[in-house]
Amino acid sequence: MEFETWWLLGIPFFFGLGWIAARIDIRHVIAESRSLPRSYYKGLNALLDEDPDKAIDIFVDIARLDPETAELHFALGNLFRRRGDIERAVRVHQNLLARPDLSPEVASKARYELGQDYLKAGLLDRAEETFHQLAASQYAAQASRALLEIYQREKEWKRAIDAALALQVSGAGAYQKEIAQFHCELAQDELVHVNPQAALQTLEKALSFDRNNVRTMMLTGDALMATGDIEGALRAWRRVEQQSSPHVALVAQRLMDGYRAVDRVREGVNLLKTYLAEAPSVDLLEVVFKAVLELDGPDSANQLVADELRRTPTLLGLDKLIEARLMYAPPEGRAELSLVKGLVGGYAQKLARYRCSHCGFKAKQFYWQCPGCSQWESYAPRRTEELSIINQG
């Protein structure tokens, strides 16, 4: 009985302790909120209301009153950079770096943000110099990625290879695909300067990083063709089908030219017909159509397109069929058929685009690196209309 009375007397005591602790916490929160200027809340409201210009003006005033607030300077710099006001963003981060009492961690962050400002402004030399200064900081990995981006923009492919290898060694990710593409860019330059042997050596290095790189096989065929090794070139281009059958459309004309050079046009046409049966493609159909037209005449070419259109109905295929019909249409019906061809062709050209799977950027020609987002190998080797039909199927 005495034990129960003791606990009954203790309940109000513990309740009182809890009430006092809660009051202390509330007073602490109120004191912290009162220590913040009202302008902070106005600035936050402006951001929430999607009025960045007003928010910037408010935060600039706060920074003048409280210049010691590093995070506020970072927020301002980011707002300026997003807005496109790079000059003011640079000035904010430079002023922050000029403070003598800045900790090494905050200084590194300010330097990284400054490098991003320069990069956004296209001042690549300044950006590169700034990012190099972060090699021994906690922003080393981010700075290395930024340097890799700079080298790609400048088309400094050897330096890009070194930067990507360094990132791999540091454990910052796998870059085999990118490194192979950088070697392909170097090989492409060698081919432009009519140095196919050097190109072949570079392409061997590309294959050591990515054995399934389609572009490497395509360029290997080009280099062998430049040395006069036509059979070797044909073998290289035929390997593309083993790596990725949809990419055959990109080498179809090369294959046809190679077979024509060794006087084996029929063999080339039969091979491309086999590829067309396995992986339908308007671009591949275009090459086969011209070859059949040359070899067997308009009737066979027309039948080829008609059969392919039944199998894969596309507006691009219909445009090609009308073109085939025009070749042997009677004079009285040619004008009307030409009108239909013009209408269909106009719509078909809008669908004859390649699309980046990463950012959606569309282009008439095929790119290994997207011009919109700089991603490598993000373009499917099929036109947008074909991709839509495949996805629906």
Side-chain angles (χ1 to χ4, degrees):
M1 185 66 183
E2 292 179 359
F3 179 75
E4 294 178 358
T5 304
W6 165 254
W7 275 104
L8 288 173
L9 292 174
I11 289 173
F13 174 74
F14 288 114
F15 178 80
L17 288 179
W19 181 82
I20 293 171
R23 292 292 295 173
I24 292 172
D25 286 342
I26 291 171
R27 286 177 181 176
H28 179 68
V29 171
I30 293 172
E32 282 192 342
S33 65
R34 286 176 177 172
S35 67
L36 293 173
R38 294 175 62 86
S39 302
Y40 273 108
Y41 301 109
K42 292 181 180 179
L44 288 174
N45 285 332
L47 286 177
L48 292 173
D49 292 338
E50 297 184 359
D51 191 352
D53 293 340
K54 183 179 179 181
I56 285 172
D57 292 337
I58 292 170
F59 286 139
V60 166
D61 290 336
I62 298 172
R64 288 174 185 156
L65 295 172
D66 188 10
E68 301 300 316
T69 310
E71 290 302 325
L72 181 57
H73 285 75
F74 288 134
L76 272 173
N78 286 329
L79 281 171
F80 285 138
R81 189 165 66 234
R82 289 182 184 179
R83 186 187 180 194
D85 195 347
I86 306 300
E87 184 178 348
R88 294 178 77 182
V90 168
R91 194 159 58 246
V92 166
H93 294 127
Q94 284 178 336
N95 290 340
L96 194 57
L97 279 170
R99 281 170 41 178
D101 60 335
L102 215 59
S103 68
E105 293 78 13
V106 176
S108 295
K109 183 175 181 181
R111 189 165 282 110
Y112 176 73
E113 294 295 340
L114 181 61
Q116 290 293 334
D117 296 338
Y118 289 144
L119 191 59
K120 182 73 177 288
L123 302 173
L124 302 185
D125 291 341
R126 293 187 184 182
E128 181 180 350
E129 180 183 354
T130 303
F131 288 129
H132 273 305
Q133 295 172 4
L134 294 166
S137 72
Q138 74 269 31
Y139 286 91
Q142 295 96 315
S144 295
R145 292 190 187 95
L147 286 170
L148 181 58
E149 180 183 344
I150 290 171
Y151 297 146
Q152 291 182 73
R153 284 199 201 180
E154 295 179 333
K155 300 189 182 301
E156 294 281 351
W157 303 116
K158 291 182 179 179
R159 299 180 75 182
I161 290 169
D162 292 339
L165 286 172
L167 279 167
Q168 281 200 158
V169 170
S170 68
Y175 288 87
Q176 284 95 336
K177 179 178 72 175
E178 289 80 1
I179 294 172
Q181 288 291 348
F182 299 157
H183 279 101
C184 286
E185 291 289 342
L186 290 172
Q188 187 83 63
D189 291 341
E190 295 290 357
L191 287 174
V192 169
H193 292 92
V194 197
N195 196 352
Q197 291 298 339
L200 287 170
Q201 294 174 7
T202 304
L203 291 167
E204 281 295 325
K205 295 178 183 177
L207 283 174
S208 69
F209 287 97
D210 185 2
R211 299 298 301 179
N212 293 318
N213 188 284
V214 173
R215 188 185 184 189
T216 303
M217 276 298 103
M218 292 173 61
L219 290 175
T220 297
D222 294 346
L224 290 170
M225 194 72 171
T227 65
D229 186 0
I230 300 176
E231 292 296 339
L234 289 172
R235 285 195 296 272
W237 291 328
R238 285 198 299 266
R239 277 195 60 187
V240 171
E241 192 271 337
Q242 301 170 15
Q243 293 174 314
S244 172
S245 55
H247 281 86
V248 168
L250 302 179
V251 294
Q253 190 59 58
R254 289 175 168 91
L255 280 165
M256 204 62 247
D257 292 341
Y259 280 108
R260 189 175 287 109
V262 294
D263 198 24
R264 285 154 46 197
V265 178
R266 176 66 65 186
E267 182 181 343
V269 170
N270 290 338
L271 177 67
L272 293 184
K273 281 184 176 180
T274 302
Y275 290 160
L276 188 63
E278 294 174 353
S281 163
V282 173
D283 294 318
L284 181 55
L285 176 62
E286 174 80 20
V287 177
V288 179
F289 169 76
K290 290 180 179 178
V292 170
L293 182 65
E294 174 190 340
L295 196 63
D296 299 323
D299 288 340
S300 296
N302 176 71
Q303 188 61 48
L304 170 75
V305 177
D307 292 342
E308 191 60 28
L309 186 61
R310 291 190 195 97
R311 188 162 69 106
T312 311
T314 64
L315 201 59
L316 292 167
L318 178 61
D319 182 51
K320 185 56 59 183
L321 178 63
I322 297 172
E323 180 182 337
R325 294 285 171 86
L326 267 171
M327 293 179 181
Y328 58 90
E332 61 272 13
R334 191 165 296 169
E336 184 176 344
L337 203 56
S338 295
L339 178 61
V340 175
K341 169 89 171 61
L343 291 171
V344 173
Y347 284 105
Q349 287 305 310
K350 294 179 181 179
L351 301 173
R353 297 286 190 274
Y354 296 103
R355 183 176 61 218
C356 173
S357 61
H358 186 261
C359 71
F361 187 89
K362 295 181 180 180
K364 289 183 179 180
Q365 72 180 75
F366 181 86
Y367 287 101
W368 293 104
Q369 184 183 29
C370 175
C373 64
S374 300
Q375 289 289 314
W376 288 97
E377 300 180 32
S378 58
Y379 276 87
R382 297 182 188 274
R383 307 288 180 169
T384 53
E385 185 185 19
E386 294 173 296
L387 287 174
S388 299
I389 292 173
I390 292 171
N391 292 334
Q392 289 173 3

